[in-house]
Every structure is written in C-alpha cells, then in structure tokens.
Amino acid sequence: MQRLEGIISKRATIVDIARVAGVTPKTVSRALNDAPHVSAAVRHKVKEAAKALDYHPNLAAQSLIARRSFLIGLTYERPSPSYVVELQNGALSRLDDERYRLVVLPFAHVASRTEELGKLLLRAGLDGVLLAPPACDQPLLLDMLERQRLPYARITPHRDLGRGLVVAMDESAAGHAVAQHLLMLGHRQIGIILGDPSHAASGSRLEGYRRAFAEAGVAIDEALVITGDFTYDIGYRVARTLLSRKQRPTAILAQNDDMAVAAIAAAREMGLSVPQDLSVAGFDNSEVSRTAWPQLTTVNQPVQQMAWDAADRLIALLDGNGAPEPAQRRDHAHELLVRASTAAPAIA
C-alpha cells in the first residue's frame, strides 16, 4: 500500500482508499459493498486500507447514488416505556455497523387514524418500515404500503399472518400458561386487567386466560375483568378498583408488566402484602419485572429478539437476499417465569 501521510489528516474518501490500495475507485465501491466479481484478496486489501484511513461512508452520498435513503422506520403506539426500549434496542442492535439507520415514528390512536399514519410513513422517505402493534394489524395500512411498494416487516401481528414478513409469538398460549399457573396455585377469585382493546394482543391473551379457566372448571367472574391500556397509571387505578371490592381477588393477572407493577404498588398502599395477601402476574418480562420487589412472575415475550429478527429479515429483503415465499413467517417461543410475586392464596 502507498504511504498514508497527508491522507489521514482529512476525511478519507474512496479515492484515497483506491490510491492506497492500488485499485480504481469503482473497485473500492464494489469491495466495500460486498458486490460480486471482486476477489477475496482485493476485497481484503480495500477493507484494510479503509480501516487504516479510518474511513466512514457518506450516507448522503450513497443515498444519492443508489437513489435510496438507507432509512428504516419503526412505528408503534404509546405502549409502556419498557416495551419501547426493548423494541428500539432490538432494531438498533441489528442495524449496528450497517449502512441503514433507524427512524422512530411513534403514532397515537392508530386504529382511528390509519390512513394518516400511512401517509406519514410514505412521506418519510423510508426504504422499509417495522410495524409494531397495533399498526401491524391494520389492513388499510398494509394496503397503502403495498400499493406504494414500501417493504415492511410486522412484529407480533394477530391477523392476516400470511401477509408480508411476520415475526410472531403465540400470545394465546402464553396467556394460557400464566393463568394456569395461578389456577394451579389454588386461586379462584382472579382479577384481570386487560390492555388497550385496539391491540389484538389483548384479545389473544384473554382468550388464553379463558381456556385455562375452562380447563380447570373455574368460571371467570366477569366483574373482575376490567379494561386498562398497558400504562402504569391506568393499571394502578384499575387495581385499586379491584382491591376495593367487598370480595376482593386473591390474585391479579395484568396484561403487561407495567400494569402488574402498578397493581403491586396499589396493594401496598392499601395495606396488602404481595404475595401473602395478593398474587400478581404480568406479561413481557420487561426490565421493570426484574427490578420490582418482589420480582414479578411474568411471561417472557422476547420483544428485543423479535425486533432484531424483523429488522434482519427486512434488511435481507431490501438487499435482495430475502427468504423464499414459504418462509415469510417466523415464530418465537414464550416462557413462563415464576418469581416471588405469586404464591398459593392464604385461604384456598
């Protein structure tokens, strides 16, 4: 390689790399992008030169040349903060060292403003988009993206599972597992705090709860089933309502960890001990479930891994390495994590 003096004092370009590696700028471009018809020896030489020059690609210039933005969107609707962090960390970890960058586009009231969200995504200049709930379950949105040929990957959808790139988990089975756990401990008066009804996951988890109750021969007390919205504040308010009943529940099933932790806080303020007086179970295995005291019994939904997987599959599609049609869907397993927030009721 040629001497590096004078080059490393300014921002390196592919012309500088070409001079050091002894090849043409076109060859440098092809080698850095792992294009075909470049020998392994030349590719190694070019990448060593780029490393020596501390070269960083100019994404704006790449975008102009390729007529692409190298931007991937991520859209979701006001879920719990811990869920957002898991989503973003998963997608960002996959994009690390990639030329793609993540654009986060939170959007409120997706179900009633689906067309508006579609227009936002189409105007954002994205190469592709990751759709988290409830956007992933909006047929009108999928229609809009498909008409404009904007590639998308869906994270935990519940409808039209044969449509697009799908990363899924059986949330009905997961709901069944956590409800069965409380029933096997001996609980019969179980309060249920539902999530936002516009999220299909809420219905799927409830379906799993009902199946577990039916298998145990236990009737659900519908008066103990109250709708929340996946937030701490609503979870706290709903839990106080449940625990203020004359015949209060001996356990609470909350459809995410934020509402479950809120239920623990409400119980303590009302002079109840967890799990001696009240068992509480959540859903997601978010960070808050591990830092709560007592630690929360919950269902591990691998949100971070699913977001990583969705981003990985979308990148493969964008780069022309997409999976064949039969492999459009990929399933992830849930896991029931029994911790200290659940125990047998004082009087079974």
Side-chain angles (χ1 to χ4, degrees):
M1 294 187 185
Q2 294 186 16
R3 293 172 62 85
L4 305 182
E5 293 175 4
I7 296 177
I8 58 175
S9 62
K10 61 183 180 66
R11 180 172 179 173
T13 66
I14 63 171
V15 174
D16 298 321
I17 296 172
R19 188 181 308 124
V20 171
V23 297
T24 66
K26 184 176 181 180
T27 298
V28 170
S29 179
R30 295 176 62 138
L32 292 177
N33 287 293
D34 293 318
H37 310 304
V38 178
S39 71
V42 170
R43 183 176 286 108
H44 177 74
K45 185 193 297 185
V46 167
K47 290 189 175 182
E48 284 297 305
K51 183 178 179 181
L53 293 170
D54 194 26
Y55 170 76
H56 297 281
N58 185 318
L59 292 179
Q62 285 188 349
S63 298
L64 288 172
I65 294 170
R67 296 184 180 180
R68 294 172 59 184
S69 67
F70 298 105
L71 298 176
I72 290 179
L74 169 63
T75 188
Y76 53 80
E77 177 185 275
R78 59 175 185 83
S80 66
S82 53
Y83 181 82
V84 172
V85 170
E86 296 280 323
L87 272 180
Q88 293 184 7
N89 285 346
L92 287 169
S93 64
R94 176 57 186 89
L95 298 183
D96 192 30
D97 295 328
E98 284 280 355
R99 54 185 170 174
Y100 294 98
R101 294 294 178 265
L102 187 69
V103 178
V104 178
L105 299 162
F107 197 87
H109 310 299
V110 169
S112 62
R113 302 167 61 208
T114 304
E115 186 172 359
E116 188 178 339
L117 172 59
K119 290 178 180 178
L120 171 66
L121 297 177
L122 293 171
R123 288 196 302 263
L126 306 170
D127 281 350
V129 61
L130 303 172
L131 303 174
C136 59
D137 279 316
Q138 305 301 318
L140 174 61
L141 177 61
L142 303 184
D143 289 343
M144 293 178 69
L145 299 182
E146 289 171 4
R147 280 198 303 270
Q148 298 299 320
R149 298 182 180 180
L150 179 61
Y152 61 83
R154 304 164 67 198
I155 301 171
T156 62
H158 292 76
R159 304 171 184 136
D160 298 325
L161 296 183
R163 194 171 182 181
L165 297 172
V166 169
V167 178
M169 188 191 83
D170 189 341
E171 298 199 56
S172 177
H176 176 275
V178 67
Q180 184 182 60
H181 165 67
L182 291 179
L183 290 162
M184 290 181 68
L185 286 173
H187 293 280
R188 295 297 180 263
Q189 286 290 108
I190 300 176
I192 297 175
I193 305 179
L194 303 176
D196 187 329
S198 72
H199 290 235
S202 182
S204 292
R205 295 172 192 179
L206 179 59
E207 177 186 282
Y209 299 163
R210 291 192 183 281
R211 187 155 45 89
F213 274 75
E215 290 172 0
V218 177
I220 290 181
D221 184 346
E222 299 296 338
L224 298 181
V225 181
I226 305 182
T227 299
D229 71 346
F230 293 125
T231 66
Y232 181 96
D233 290 343
I234 297 299
Y236 175 83
R237 190 170 72 199
V238 168
R240 287 193 67 94
T241 298
L242 287 170
L243 297 175
S244 296
R245 290 173 55 89
K246 185 176 181 180
Q247 189 174 3
R248 62 173 177 79
T250 62
I252 286 179
L253 269 173
Q255 288 200 332
N256 77 342
D257 292 338
D258 282 38
M259 293 193 299
V261 170
I264 291 176
R268 282 184 178 151
E269 288 191 8
M270 298 175 74
L272 300 174
S273 177
V274 175
Q276 289 80 7
D277 300 317
L278 178 74
S279 286
V280 179
F283 202 106
D284 284 339
N285 190 32
S286 61
E287 182 66 22
V288 70
S289 75
R290 300 184 289 276
T291 57
W293 188 259
Q295 287 192 325
L296 190 64
T297 291
T298 187
V299 173
N300 180 43
Q301 178 180 214
V303 175
Q304 186 165 328
Q305 180 58 42
M306 288 193 287
W308 188 100
D309 196 8
D312 180 64
R313 302 187 71 209
L314 184 58
I315 289 171
L317 179 65
L318 294 174
D319 288 347
N321 303 313
E325 196 67 26
Q328 294 294 292
R329 175 174 171 175
R330 186 170 299 166
D331 291 306
H332 288 253
H334 68 271
E335 180 184 6
L336 175 64
L337 301 174
V338 178
R339 299 189 179 123
S341 68
T342 54
I347 301 177

